[in-house]
């Protein structure tokens, strides 16, 4: 039988250790516990809990009764927000329509919900979402089957525009509007629109996968946090503007659906002033 010397055993162990260290060095690094930024997520309030339970109460089994219940629910919710924002003299809802009084218009803007007894699952409806008091910008949300859109109304000028995006955010100088694609499930795509001379925002300047470098940065960052093993919290994404040419796009992930806290994965978008193009970077910059 061949003898194995202590020296040979040492060589074998050393070789094995070097191979192990080499494989660790090659493998992509993962976030340590200190790298995670945990945030307690707010529980969304269902407007139906205010006063009505339109879909489960036997009193609303007929189509007309259900619609009347929904009209009352939305009227209470929207008018409560309008009052909270101190714009109830300009913005109010009556049954299935939101009315907005704006400057330079004799008649108000009107946004009317669509309803049909033959398309109960597809009936789109409007609701007030946000109000930027400093810039007098009102955001109206429209919900429809497998999608949504937003309308921004300037209460001073009366100018308004529809956007097929979610989570709109406007740069401090109001030159850019950013938002996530509104198609259900396409929460990762960030679009950047620039204001034109006409006043409208146009041009899809950036998506997460618009270049190989962006795609690589995006994928590497998600792997770093092992986000593929967690559950993304839908509709929790946020934008934060640092200045006119830089903003953060944050997404949140839970380890378990029942968790109250989620960890944040952040990307930074910075406009290259020499090329006027936006670039995506991992984390905070």
């Amino acid at each position: 039988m061949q003898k194995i010397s202590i020296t040979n055993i040492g060589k074998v162990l050393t070789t094995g250790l070097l191979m192990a260290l080499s494989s660790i060095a090659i493998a992509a690094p993962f976030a340590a516990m200190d790298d995670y930024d945990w945030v307690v997520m707010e529980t969304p309030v269902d407007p139906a809990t205010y006063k009505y339970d339109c879909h489960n109460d036997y009193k609303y089994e007929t189509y007309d009764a259900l619609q009347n219940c929904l009209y009352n629910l939305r009227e209470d919710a929207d008018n409560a927000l309008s009052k909270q924002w101190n714009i109830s003299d300009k913005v109010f809802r009556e049954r299935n329509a939101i009315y907005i009084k704006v400057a330079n218009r004799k008649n108000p803007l009107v946004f009317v919900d669509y309803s049909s007894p033959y398309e109960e699952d597809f009936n789109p409806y409007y609701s007030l979402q946000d109000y930027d008091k400093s810039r007098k910008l009102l955001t109206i949300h429209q919900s429809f089957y497998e999608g949504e859109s937003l309308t921004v109304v300037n209460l001073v000028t009366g100018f308004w525009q529809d956007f097929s995006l979610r989570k709109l955010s406007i740069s401090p100088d109001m030159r850019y509007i950013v938002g996530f694609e509104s198609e259900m499930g396409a929460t990762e795509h960030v679009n950047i629109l620039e204001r034109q001379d006409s006043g409208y925002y146009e041009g899809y300047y950036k998506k997460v996968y618009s270049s190989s470098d962006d795609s690589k940065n995006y994928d590497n960052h998600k792997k770093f946090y092992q986000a593929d093993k967690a559950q993304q919290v839908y509709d929790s994404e946020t934008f934060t503007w640092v200045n006119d040419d830089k903003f953060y796009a944050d997404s949140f992930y839970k380890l378990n659906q029942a968790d109250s806290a989620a960890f944040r994965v952040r990307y930074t978008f910075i406009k290259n002033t020499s090329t006027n193009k936006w670039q995506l970077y991992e984390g905070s910059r």
Side-chain angles (χ1 to χ4, degrees), residues 5 21 40 48 53 62 87 115 151-152 161 164 191 199 201 206 217-218 220 225 228 231 242 246 250 253 269 276:
S5 67
L21 290 175
V40 176
D53 190 1
T62 66
I87 55 174
S115 62
T151 301
V152 177
Q161 183 178 353
S164 297
N191 293 315
Y201 290 87
K206 173 67 66 177
N217 289 340
Y218 181 79
N220 286 344
Y225 286 101
D228 58 329
Q231 304 175 42
V242 180
K246 176 180 176 181
D250 296 332
Y253 297 82
F269 287 81
N276 205 35

Side-chain angles (χ1 to χ4, degrees), residues 27-246:
F30 290 118
M33 187 57 66
D34 292 342
D35 294 319
Y36 286 89
D37 186 0
W38 292 92
V39 177
V40 176
M41 306 303 294
E42 295 182 4
T43 302
V45 178
D46 182 357
T49 61
Y50 294 158
K51 192 185 301 184
Y52 313 97
D53 190 1
C54 301
H55 291 284
N56 295 317
D57 196 314
Y58 72 92
K59 293 184 296 184
Y60 308 120
E61 290 180 351
T62 66
Y63 177 78
D64 289 340
L66 173 62
Q67 289 306 306
N68 283 328
C69 181
L70 291 174
Y71 293 157
N72 290 331
L73 183 157
R74 294 166 187 163
E75 186 175 288
D76 284 0
D78 285 342
N79 288 336
L81 285 175
S82 182
K83 183 177 180 180
Q84 176 185 324
W85 297 332
N86 293 318
I87 55 174
S88 55
D89 59 326
K90 298 182 179 68
V91 181
F92 60 94
R93 174 186 274 273
E94 289 183 358
R95 291 181 60 78
N96 65 331
I98 295 175
Y99 297 86
I100 303 175
K101 298 178 181 178
V102 294
N104 304 321
R105 289 181 65 99
K106 180 179 179 180
N107 298 316
L109 298 174
V110 184
F111 297 87
V112 182
D113 299 342
Y114 173 83
S115 62
S116 168
Y118 308 105
E119 302 175 286
E120 289 189 43
D121 294 332
F122 302 90
N123 291 348
Y125 65 92
Y126 292 97
S127 58
L128 301 185
Q129 183 178 80
D130 187 47
Y131 179 60
D132 185 335
K133 182 179 180 180
S134 63
R135 295 187 280 191
K136 302 296 188 292
L137 298 177
L138 177 69
T139 302
I140 302 173
H141 178 269
Q142 185 181 30
S143 176
F144 49 89
Y145 183 72
E146 291 192 349
E148 55 193 301
S149 66
L150 295 173
T151 301
V152 177
V153 182
N154 188 317
L155 297 186
V156 176
T157 66
F159 190 87
W160 61 280
Q161 183 178 353
D162 293 327
F163 300 91
S164 297
L165 299 170
R166 296 188 308 104
K167 297 288 184 177
L168 284 184
S169 184
I170 305 175
S171 64
D173 62 359
M174 296 184 67
R175 181 179 176 185
Y176 295 101
I177 278 185
V178 299
F180 290 95
E181 285 194 3
S182 61
E183 184 178 353
M184 187 173 292
T187 58
E188 300 165 339
H189 295 311
V190 175
N191 293 315
I192 303 174
L193 289 74
E194 185 174 15
R195 188 175 62 191
Q196 309 299 307
D197 292 339
S198 62
Y200 287 97
Y201 290 87
E202 298 177 359
Y204 289 82
Y205 284 88
K206 173 67 66 177
K207 292 186 180 182
V208 168
Y209 300 119
S210 62
S211 72
S212 58
D213 287 340
D214 287 343
S215 181
K216 182 179 179 181
N217 289 340
Y218 181 79
D219 291 337
N220 286 344
H221 203 44
K222 285 188 71 175
K223 289 177 182 177
F224 178 74
Y225 286 101
Q226 303 183 67
D228 58 329
K229 298 179 181 179
Q231 304 175 42
Q232 185 175 2
V233 183
Y234 179 73
D235 207 36
S236 65
E237 303 92 339
T238 60
F239 292 109
T240 304
W241 286 91
V242 180
N243 53 50
D244 294 332
D245 301 322
K246 176 180 176 181

